[in-house]
């Protein structure tokens, strides 16, 4: 775990040092769980958004996009269930005065049991070598069996308490398990109470409850209330989807782990409208499609897994998370939910307007069912960075081993696609030529001109921000109009004619590569 913690700390430090992510309002000592994206961060984030948008909207004839406002009529959140049910169970430790999510305290306890089981399995694996039968061991070893049973019982009690909003039950569970405050070690807890996660603000011209507005806690509702507008204007027939990327706000009780859990974040959501009864077919379809999307950018299969929900949200009849192996373990990256007709029906009821679809094949009106795919853009950013950021030993200019930090993101996602570097900064013929090359290709993709420091250091700087290609202009260039092109990953340098630079780089960094590779 120490290694993982260390890796995570390095990642956070790298994000700051190289201009990917800064703490919000840092000059005032920061605002907790709010972050700003820097010059390279914004490019990478925009590329991730563009990859998602293209794969949804551009690659599907039957998916269209919208960009709805953050503020919505307050009744929206009554209908969606957020006013009454978008709560987390909160508990305070009376000694340390620290506030926790009660369910997370129990989940952490469960993680510890799981770690014990895994340790036991690893030990046995080492002892028995090739002849080890893990499934059999898990079924027969008394310590493992007892821990598995304990895990299952606690997980069930937690799920039931969450489902029934049973806060006294939650408190009893914490007490029975003798969970102590990680800060103070004290077991002196307050009662557990529900805490609504929505931020609210006030309309300028209306006082009191009437003028209360919420900052949207999910982008999905902007899609639901626009269902008829979009369906009619885009002349879509079922099944069809509406996609949206936008900010969402949640007053998270415990917001840690960098950009994993923020109070202001961005979601990429797609609601797919279908015939009632078809939901399991489409649910399976989107599960597979979304996993393929993650694999296409080079995230290995073993870093991704499905995790079925133990505890379904009020609107869902099936739900699964795609979890990613973050530096702090497997956690939710994306949710795929079969939301039934819950949202459209609720809006229909509360607004008094008919929100239905006329199905010409069935010759009848109905409220469509919905399968949703919902991914946090910032979590996608963290997953991408944590997988791509690597340290490796490579030969330096003199052939000696040296350690480099390299961000091996897919070229289509890289913040800067190509750096143009004159070999020496004080030779005007070289810098002039390099500027010319840069000016010729900057229209096609994001390039950088850099003449400061020795060439080796400039290469390292580009490695650290993930630039897939470096073009170097040297004295041979002046003779024969060729340059070297250096590949970030293989470190190979090839001589190519200047005229080919643009095509070679463009082809490699084109987002279509991601669709061809999958
Ligand atoms: P969690 O269980 O981690 O709180 P959730 O199940 O509440 O997440 P959803 O409501 O399904 O999350 O939201 C969809 C996606 O939005 C999540 O998969 C995640 O990627 C992202 N997301 C949710 N909350 C946050 C947050 N506070 N900060 C960053 N991303 C978030």
């Amino acid at each position: 775990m120490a290694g993982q913690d260390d890796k995570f700390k390095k990642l956070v430090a790298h994000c700051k040092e190289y201009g990917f992510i800064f703490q919000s309002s840092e000059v005032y000592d920061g605002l907790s769980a709010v972050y700003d994206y820097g010059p390279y961060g914004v490019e990478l984030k925009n590329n991730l958004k563009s990859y998602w948008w293209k794969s949804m909207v551009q690659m599907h004839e039957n998916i269209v996009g919208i960009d709805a406002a953050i503020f919505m009529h307050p009744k929206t959140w009554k209908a969606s269930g957020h006013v009454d049910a978008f709560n987390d169970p909160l508990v305070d430790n009376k000694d340390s005065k620290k506030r926790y999510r009660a369910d997370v305290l129990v989940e952490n306890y469960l993680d510890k049991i799981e770690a014990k089981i895994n340790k036991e399995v690893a030990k046995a694996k080492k002892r028995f070598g090739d002849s080890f039968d893990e499934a059999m061991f898990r079924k027969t070893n008394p310590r493992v069996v007892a821990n598995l049973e304990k895990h299952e019982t606690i997980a069930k009690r937690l799920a039931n308490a969450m489902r029934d909003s049973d806060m006294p039950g939650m408190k009893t569970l914490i007490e029975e398990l003798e969970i102590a405050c990680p800060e103070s070690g004290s077991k002196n807890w307050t009662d557990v109470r529900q805490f609504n996660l929505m931020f609210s603000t006030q309309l300028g011209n209306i006082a009191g409850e009437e003028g209360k507005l919420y900052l949207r806690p999910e982008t999905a509702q902007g899609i639901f209330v626009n269902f008829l507008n979009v369906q009619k204007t885009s002349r879509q027939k079922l099944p069809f989807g509406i996609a949206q990327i936008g900010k969402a706000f949640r007053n998270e009780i415990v917001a840690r782990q960098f950009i994993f859990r923020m109070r202001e974040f961005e979601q990429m959501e797609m609601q797919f409208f279908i015939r009632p009864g078809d939901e399991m077919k489409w649910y399976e379809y989107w599960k597979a499609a979304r996993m393929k999307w993650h694999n296409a950018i080079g995230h290995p299969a073993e870093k991704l897994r499905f995790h079925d929900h133990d505890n379904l949200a009020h609107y869902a009849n099936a739900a699964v998370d795609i979890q990613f192996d973050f530096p702090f373990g497997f956690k939710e990256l994306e949710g795929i939910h079969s939301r039934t007709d819950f949202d459209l029906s609720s809006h229909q009821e509360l607004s008094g307007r008919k929100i239905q679809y006329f199905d010409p094949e069935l010759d009848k009106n109905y409220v469509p069912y919905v399968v949703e795919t919902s991914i946090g853009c910032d979590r996608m950013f963290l997953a991408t960075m944590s997988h791509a950021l690597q340290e490796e030993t490579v030969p330096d200019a003199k052939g000696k081993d040296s350690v480099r930090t390299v961000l091996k993101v897919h070229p289509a996602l890289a913040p800067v696609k190509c750096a143009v570097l004159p070999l020496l900064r004080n030779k005007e013929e070289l810098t002039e030529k390099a500027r010319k090359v840069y000016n010729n290709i900057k229209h096609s993709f994001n390039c950088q001109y850099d003449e400061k420091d020795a060439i080796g250091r400039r290469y390292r700087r580009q490695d650290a921000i993930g630039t897939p290609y470096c073009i170097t202009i040297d004295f041979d260039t002046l003779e024969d109009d060729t340059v070297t092109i250096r590949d970030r990953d293989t470190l190979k340098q090839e001589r190519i004619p200047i005229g080919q630079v643009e095509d070679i780089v463009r082809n490699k960094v084109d987002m279509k590569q991601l669709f061809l590779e999958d």
Side-chain angles (χ1 to χ4, degrees):
M1 205 53 201
Q4 287 289 71
D5 280 353
D6 204 36
K7 206 175 156 210
F8 190 38
K9 274 190 199 139
K10 275 192 182 159
L11 184 141
V12 175
H14 189 91
C15 282
K16 182 173 175 192
E17 188 183 344
Y18 285 92
F20 284 90
I21 295 172
F22 309 122
Q23 173 81 60
S24 158
S25 330
E26 204 188 58
V27 287
Y28 295 104
D29 294 333
L31 181 64
S32 96
V34 186
Y35 290 90
D36 300 336
Y37 284 80
Y40 299 117
V42 66
E43 296 289 346
L44 174 55
K45 191 178 183 204
N46 282 343
N47 291 340
L48 285 168
K49 288 198 263 188
S50 171
Y51 171 43
W52 184 88
W53 189 264
K54 281 177 200 276
S55 67
M56 285 294 176
V57 178
Q58 192 172 314
M59 301 292 282
H60 289 92
E61 284 177 43
N62 61 347
I63 298 182
V64 292
I66 64 163
D67 181 19
I70 286 169
F71 288 139
M72 300 182 70
H73 194 287
K75 279 189 180 169
T76 309
W77 306 110
K78 187 78 195 151
S80 68
H82 283 83
V83 172
D84 298 319
F86 195 53
N87 301 318
D88 274 343
L90 171 148
V91 65
D92 293 304
N93 184 274
K94 289 185 197 161
D95 297 320
S96 68
K97 309 271 182 267
K98 286 270 166 196
R99 180 159 281 187
Y100 296 93
R101 256 175 73 176
D103 56 331
V104 172
L105 286 177
V106 180
E107 274 167 15
N108 289 345
Y109 186 91
L110 289 171
D111 284 349
K112 281 188 194 144
I113 301 180
E114 205 177 323
K116 269 191 202 159
I117 298 170
N118 291 340
K119 207 169 153 193
E120 204 76 58
V121 171
K123 239 170 49 193
K125 207 181 228 167
K126 214 166 153 194
R127 190 155 19 105
F128 294 114
D130 287 346
S131 61
F132 182 60
D133 180 345
E134 184 174 331
M136 181 60 84
F137 181 79
R138 281 177 180 269
K139 261 193 248 153
T140 52
N141 178 280
R143 272 194 303 268
V144 171
V145 171
N147 272 327
L148 281 170
E149 273 169 15
K150 191 172 168 191
H151 191 282
E152 196 183 330
T153 315
I154 298 170
K156 214 173 260 164
R157 282 182 65 187
L158 172 65
N160 289 345
M162 291 294 284
R163 185 198 57 212
D164 303 338
S165 272
D166 175 11
M167 296 303 108
M170 205 73 167
K171 168 110 189 251
T172 311
L173 192 54
I174 290 175
E175 281 171 346
E176 275 178 28
L177 299 175
E178 299 188 357
I179 294 176
C181 166
E183 195 95 355
S184 63
S186 139
K187 295 172 194 158
N188 192 8
W189 298 106
T190 61
D191 284 342
V192 180
R193 58 189 192 282
Q194 294 282 30
F195 176 79
N196 194 288
L197 298 182
M198 282 197 293
F199 281 104
S200 63
T201 185
Q202 197 69 29
L203 267 179
N205 53 351
I206 305 173
E209 272 299 302
E210 289 275 289
K212 190 170 180 181
L213 281 188
Y214 294 103
L215 271 69
R216 65 180 178 195
E218 63 174 20
T219 57
Q221 298 305 324
I223 293 178
F224 292 127
V225 299
N226 274 302
F227 168 74
L228 285 181
N229 285 336
V230 176
Q231 191 264 320
K232 286 186 178 143
T233 50
S234 62
R235 293 178 296 118
Q236 290 284 349
K237 289 198 168 65
L238 254 56
F240 83 95
I242 304 178
Q244 178 173 214
I245 299 178
K247 290 267 177 152
F249 304 82
R250 295 183 187 178
N251 199 357
E252 300 281 1
I253 298 170
V254 184
R256 287 203 198 106
Q257 291 162 330
F258 197 35
I259 56 168
F260 180 81
R261 190 173 299 286
M262 301 199 286
R263 299 205 164 97
E264 172 180 344
F265 58 101
E266 217 163 350
Q267 289 186 314
M268 308 191 279
E269 295 199 303
M270 194 277 300
Q271 311 294 324
F272 201 66
F273 299 92
I274 52 179
R275 266 187 200 160
D278 280 356
E279 66 267 26
M280 289 327 281
K281 180 179 91 186
W282 286 111
Y283 176 69
E284 292 304 328
Y285 171 88
W286 281 110
K287 260 177 83 172
R290 294 305 302 146
M291 191 54 105
K292 213 166 151 192
W293 184 89
H294 288 281
N295 289 326
I297 57 168
H299 289 167
E302 65 271 17
K303 286 214 163 187
L304 291 155
R305 70 180 187 194
F306 287 117
H307 175 78
D308 285 315
H309 283 207
D310 299 322
N311 179 22
L312 290 179
H314 58 278
Y315 51 75
N317 70 352
V320 69
D321 292 338
I322 294 180
Q323 294 188 331
F324 184 82
D325 190 7
F326 288 98
F328 37 84
F330 273 99
K331 296 274 176 217
E332 172 176 346
L333 169 59
E334 169 158 11
I336 297 152
H337 311 125
S338 168
R339 291 181 79 126
T340 66
D341 59 353
F342 174 84
D343 302 270
L344 290 183
S345 292
S346 303
H347 289 306
Q348 178 169 262
E349 203 178 309
L350 206 63
S351 67
R353 305 263 179 95
K354 193 167 150 185
I355 306 181
Q356 297 192 359
Y357 171 76
F358 176 72
D359 190 326
E361 278 173 42
L362 301 181
D363 193 27
K364 67 174 196 188
N365 283 303
Y366 54 80
V367 179
Y369 267 42
V370 171
V371 170
E372 158 188 85
T373 73
S374 172
I375 174 170
C377 185
D378 314 272
R379 284 193 193 175
M380 189 59 202
F381 188 105
L382 185 58
T384 306
M385 281 299 279
S386 68
H387 173 62
L389 191 63
Q390 298 172 17
E391 269 185 6
E392 55 180 29
T393 307
V394 291
D396 66 11
K398 293 182 188 122
K400 277 203 187 135
D401 277 356
S402 76
V403 176
R404 71 161 178 165
T405 301
V406 55
L407 186 70
K408 288 190 171 174
V409 277
H410 192 289
L413 301 177
V416 176
K417 307 302 187 193
C418 170
V420 180
L421 318 170
L423 185 63
L424 301 171
R425 72 191 288 199
N426 49 8
K427 288 275 179 251
E428 212 178 302
E429 347 41 312
L430 293 181
T431 52
E432 223 173 67
K433 186 79 179 170
R435 276 262 171 224
K436 228 183 197 167
V437 173
Y438 168 75
N439 284 330
N440 273 336
I441 59 175
K442 71 178 182 193
H443 312 282
S444 297
F445 32 78
N446 198 15
C447 297
Q448 215 171 57
Y449 172 84
D450 187 7
E451 58 176 33
K452 199 162 168 264
D453 296 324
I455 191 80
R457 287 186 69 174
R458 280 181 274 164
Y459 284 152
R460 291 288 187 272
R461 224 164 25 227
Q462 295 300 332
D463 288 344
I465 59 166
T467 308
Y469 298 104
C470 288
I471 306 295
T472 306
I473 279 70
D474 56 19
F475 292 103
D476 287 347
T477 313
L478 306 177
E479 302 285 313
D480 59 7
D481 249 11
T482 64
V483 294
T484 62
I485 180 165
R486 172 189 182 267
D487 183 295
R488 176 195 71 197
D489 299 339
T490 64
L491 293 173
K492 264 205 199 133
Q493 299 199 24
E494 257 183 88
R495 264 213 109 77
I496 56 166
I498 280 187
Q500 285 179 15
V501 170
E502 190 172 352
D503 280 350
I504 290 178
V505 178
R506 193 193 353 239
N507 187 43
K508 289 271 171 115
V509 305
D510 193 330
M511 215 159 267
K512 94 177 168 210
Q513 297 298 344
L514 290 169
F515 302 113
L516 298 176
E517 281 166 21
D518 75 357

